[in-house]
Amino acid sequence: MGLAASIDSGTPCAQVAEVSIEDGKIKVHKVTCALDPGIAVNPDQVRAQCEGAIIMGISAGLHEQMYVENGSLQPTIYGPYEMALMKHAPKEIDVVLLQGRDRPGPVGEPPLGPIAAAVANAVFRLTGKRLLQLPLKLS
């Protein structure tokens, strides 16, 4: 397991990622997210927003890569551009809403920040190797 936390737009978020290494690749099995958005006017929507941000963060953290070649951003088409598929999604995402303030706060982006760091910290605990570049790769 790996832990990471951040505060984005005044909304604190902490995540724990449970991972394993399968066939030399990082597999995320479960993510637990604690978020304090203040008053959650629609808690189900807040949880759904967190789940989507976590999947987006897993995609960016483990698969997506762009680079500059001859002054041009590559890849220029989506064919060779890797991104997370359903098979890369964790089997379980738990979202705990703390609601510690007396007004609603931002929810969309705060859960996106910690996930790649939580996964990298979990990999460090498993392998002893620090992964310092995105996308996270073991080789």
Side-chain angles (χ1 to χ4, degrees):
M1 290 190 287
L3 168 70
S6 66
I7 298 175
D8 184 351
S9 303
T11 299
C13 181
Q15 295 174 358
V16 175
E18 297 180 26
V19 307
S20 66
I21 309 299
E22 296 179 7
D23 299 323
K25 296 186 186 224
I26 301 164
K27 173 72 177 162
V28 181
H29 297 282
K30 180 179 178 180
V31 176
T32 302
C33 174
L35 183 82
D36 184 356
I39 295 173
V41 176
N42 185 338
D44 288 339
Q45 184 62 38
V46 172
R47 284 185 187 90
Q49 189 75 26
C50 290
E51 292 167 0
I54 288 166
I55 296 296
M56 184 178 174
I58 287 171
S59 186
L62 296 178
H63 303 282
E64 299 175 31
Q65 181 174 7
M66 299 191 87
Y67 53 92
V68 177
E69 185 177 286
N70 298 324
S72 176
L73 192 60
Q74 297 293 327
T76 57
I77 57 173
Y78 284 113
Y81 185 74
E82 280 189 62
M83 60 182 71
L85 304 173
M86 286 298 293
K87 67 182 180 180
H88 301 119
K91 297 270 188 235
E92 190 175 350
I93 299 175
D94 290 332
V95 178
V96 178
L97 301 178
L98 302 175
Q99 301 188 72
R101 293 175 287 169
D102 61 353
R103 60 182 167 72
V107 174
E109 293 173 0
L112 178 62
I115 188 63
V119 170
N121 287 333
V123 169
F124 176 70
R125 288 190 67 200
L126 274 173
T127 66
K129 181 178 180 183
R130 279 276 178 218
L131 303 179
L132 302 173
Q133 293 183 344
L134 296 178
L136 302 170
K137 302 281 184 198
L138 293 171
S139 55

